[in-house]
Amino acid sequence: MTETVEQIAQRCGVVAETGHTMAEFTTIGVGGPVAAVLRPSSIVTMGRLLAELRKAGHHPRVIGGGANVIPGTGPFTDPLILTKGIKHGPLFEGSRVRAGCGVVVKLLVRKCVDRGLSGLEFAEGIPGTVGGTVYMNAGSYGGQMSDVVREVSWFDQEGTLQSREIAPEEFSYRRSPFSPGMVIVEAVFELTPGDPAQLEVKLDEVSARRLKSQPPGKRSAGCVFKNPPGDSAGRLIDVSGLKGLAVGGASVSMEHGNFIVNRGDATSADVRRLIDLVKQKVKEKAGVMLEEEVILWD
Ligand code: EPU
């Protein structure tokens, strides 16, 4: 008989938690019930869990900060593995900094600036974790993760731990060389020495720009659509007159057209219907077919 998720988790020293919904683990706060939630606290345990779950025929899903995922209504029978427990570091080695996949980007940026290391200031205010933002090649205000990430360790689809140097050319706009089934567990960033006081000023500038143009303090998944070449999805949604457009508890942000905000009681069905509606209307009004940046999980 196939081993259950609970049995495998127990053997790996992890509790299989029940009674959770995906909404708890996404920044936009939507998504249906999930059968089992696992929180490994080390790379070794993550490796064992992935290998043994897959060997027994399970298909674990992995989530970091949940800032770019919009899960469906479920129920999700596959186990959900959270990376947030793998949070060693940031460990400084000269101008390099090593961090576990679960380290929150905000903390990483803070520690680097305190140390007088420059390169990650662009990421101030990006929600999410090291693993997720490297996987997505997250970016903002003239920078992206590929500018600074130089080494990555990950579990491949076979569950083998891989580690290698990585070059900026291997990444592109919101895309890394990593694909579904690969689980990033650690990254090393190369930074340059800078004056902490000046770096602090840069952080303040980035925060102020973000506060002015993006919905502060509201639950969202960041930008929903990729920018089409040479244009801005937010601008296209705005000129199509869609700010404030709502489906159920989800609405297009009044501050930035490319954000969908959860007004409190949004469901994943509301968010997805709104995504489809925005795509349809932008196609009609601006002649552009937008493509999702967020990952839709079913
Ligand atoms: N604009 C509008 N109306 C809007 C939104 C934007 O007219 O509702 C105009 C702005 O005035 C500006 C232009 O569109 O002239 C570009 O806007 P913005 O500077 O806000 O940048 P963006 O292209 O919309 C991108 C990233 C953001 C990142 C910002 C800042 C994408 C899809 N979006 O947005 O990233 O924070 O630049 O660098 O690449 C994300 O990826 O989740 C994200 C939020």
Side-chain angles (χ1 to χ4, degrees):
M1 198 188 80
T2 316
E3 240 189 327
T4 65
V5 171
E6 288 70 25
Q7 288 166 329
I8 294 168
Q10 195 176 27
R11 204 148 33 73
C12 296
V14 175
V15 178
E17 299 170 28
T18 55
H20 288 288
T21 64
M22 286 281 188
E24 297 168 53
F25 309 113
T26 58
T27 54
I28 192 166
V30 300
V34 55
V37 173
L38 310 169
R39 305 179 202 243
S41 57
S42 72
I43 294 178
V44 172
T45 312
M46 171 70 94
R48 270 193 77 189
L49 271 178
L50 285 171
E52 300 206 15
L53 286 167
R54 285 171 178 164
K55 205 169 84 193
H58 301 289
H59 304 280
R61 292 166 190 261
V62 178
I63 202 165
N68 246 296
V69 178
I70 302 189
T73 46
F76 294 88
T77 51
D78 297 323
L80 179 70
I81 302 182
L82 305 186
T83 66
K84 276 202 166 162
I86 302 174
K87 51 177 189 217
H88 52 283
L91 302 165
F92 293 93
E93 303 156 6
S95 58
R96 288 195 156 206
V97 55
R98 181 181 299 273
C101 56
V103 170
V104 172
V105 168
K106 191 166 182 54
L107 177 91
L108 178 68
V109 172
R110 181 74 263 149
K111 295 249 167 146
C112 292
V113 166
D114 288 348
R115 275 253 168 173
L117 287 172
S118 173
L120 275 163
E121 302 83 77
F122 74 87
E124 172 69 357
I126 292 185
T129 54
V130 164
T133 49
V134 169
Y135 185 94
M136 292 294 301
N137 192 19
S140 244
Y141 305 109
Q144 51 189 349
M145 296 312 264
S146 58
D147 299 341
V148 279
V149 65
R150 288 296 166 267
E151 200 183 308
V152 177
S153 302
W154 74 98
F155 285 104
D156 65 18
Q157 276 97 340
E158 282 70 50
T160 308
L161 184 60
Q162 308 270 4
S163 190
R164 70 169 176 87
E165 294 273 323
I166 203 147
E169 309 80 70
E170 296 180 64
F171 294 79
S172 53
Y173 172 62
R174 297 296 185 271
R175 185 163 286 185
S176 74
F178 302 96
S179 51
M182 297 178 175
V183 180
I184 295 174
V185 287
E186 187 182 270
V188 178
F189 304 90
E190 175 82 55
L191 304 172
T192 49
D195 168 41
Q198 275 174 14
L199 298 180
E200 205 70 58
V201 172
K202 260 169 94 179
L203 282 195
D204 288 346
E205 279 168 13
V206 170
S207 295
R209 280 180 70 181
R210 195 182 290 280
L211 261 173
K212 249 171 86 181
S213 61
Q214 298 183 2
K218 297 202 182 118
R219 300 199 78 169
S220 79
C223 284
V224 174
F225 301 101
K226 291 182 183 175
N227 280 340
D231 209 337
S232 158
R235 191 195 70 80
L236 289 167
I237 294 165
D238 193 352
V239 297
S240 302
L242 305 178
K243 279 184 166 174
L245 182 70
V247 173
S251 70
V252 175
S253 160
M254 294 304 292
E255 286 93 356
H256 195 295
N258 203 5
F259 281 66
I260 287 180
V261 293
N262 180 349
R263 299 191 292 184
D265 56 352
T267 63
S268 51
D270 293 340
V271 175
R272 282 152 178 245
R273 275 210 296 275
L274 187 54
I275 289 176
D276 288 342
L277 196 58
V278 168
K279 279 170 85 169
Q280 183 201 320
K281 292 207 178 276
V282 170
K283 177 80 184 119
E284 273 166 30
K285 299 197 174 170
V288 178
M289 183 50 94
L290 294 174
E291 188 197 331
E292 287 88 349
E293 172 183 312
V294 291
I295 300 167
L296 304 175
W297 268 5
D298 287 305

